[in-house]
Amino acid sequence: MDRGIRFETEVVKHAVGTLNYRVVFLDERFHEALPLREHPRLRVRGEVNGVAFDGAWQPVRGRWYLMLGKRLLKSAGVDVGDRVLVAFRVVDQASVEVPDELRRALAANDAALRSWGKLTAGKQRAFAHRVSSAVRAETRAIRVEEVIDALVSGEI
């Protein structure tokens, strides 16, 4: 997997309930080569038309799709119907990239850090994404406080 996987595909609109996402579907040639049964939401890092992403292949009716966020689509200059080159490699499934602000807040609060340690990697990633997805520093700070409060209060 070090050399990674590369294939060309089309960006499509994919409905999940009442929500519509822009996604690419994994080329079926790679279904058996990847540990999709062991890790149905397979964490990967790669590029779409040269624009970096961290994401996960997610299952739907025997296929796997990768959601493409608005920033990624805009940076890559693509949208629904466009052909893209997808390149990726599988990453450590338990890894979580914690934003610096959240890492510092956890280190300063023993109760929050203990609660954080009890969370699954997926829940940790969700909290980390909540913080890192904020554009403004003020919003990030507010979200860090919300995460710490939730961890300390046991609301999770």
Side-chain angles (χ1 to χ4, degrees), residues 11-25:
V11 177
V12 297
K13 192 179 292 186
H14 176 61
V16 178
T18 60
L19 302 174
N20 287 302
Y21 297 97
R22 271 110 176 116
V23 305
V24 291
F25 280 93

Side-chain angles (χ1 to χ4, degrees), residues 76-150:
V78 297
D79 205 348
V80 172
D82 293 331
R83 302 282 302 168
V84 293
L85 177 63
V86 178
F88 70 92
R89 63 183 172 76
V90 176
V91 296
D92 177 2
Q93 299 301 293
S95 71
V96 178
E97 291 191 29
V98 181
D100 289 338
E101 304 96 316
L102 181 55
R103 185 181 316 280
R104 285 190 299 272
L106 289 167
N109 188 313
D110 290 338
L113 186 58
R114 278 192 302 278
S115 292
W116 178 264
K118 295 176 186 175
L119 297 177
T120 65
K123 288 183 181 178
Q124 289 178 350
R125 275 192 292 275
F127 278 126
H129 176 73
R130 172 102 175 109
V131 173
S132 66
S133 65
V135 175
R136 296 180 4 184
E138 297 83 7
T139 305
R140 289 171 72 100
I142 290 167
R143 290 183 181 179
V144 166
E145 287 181 37
E146 292 171 351
V147 169
I148 296 300
D149 290 345

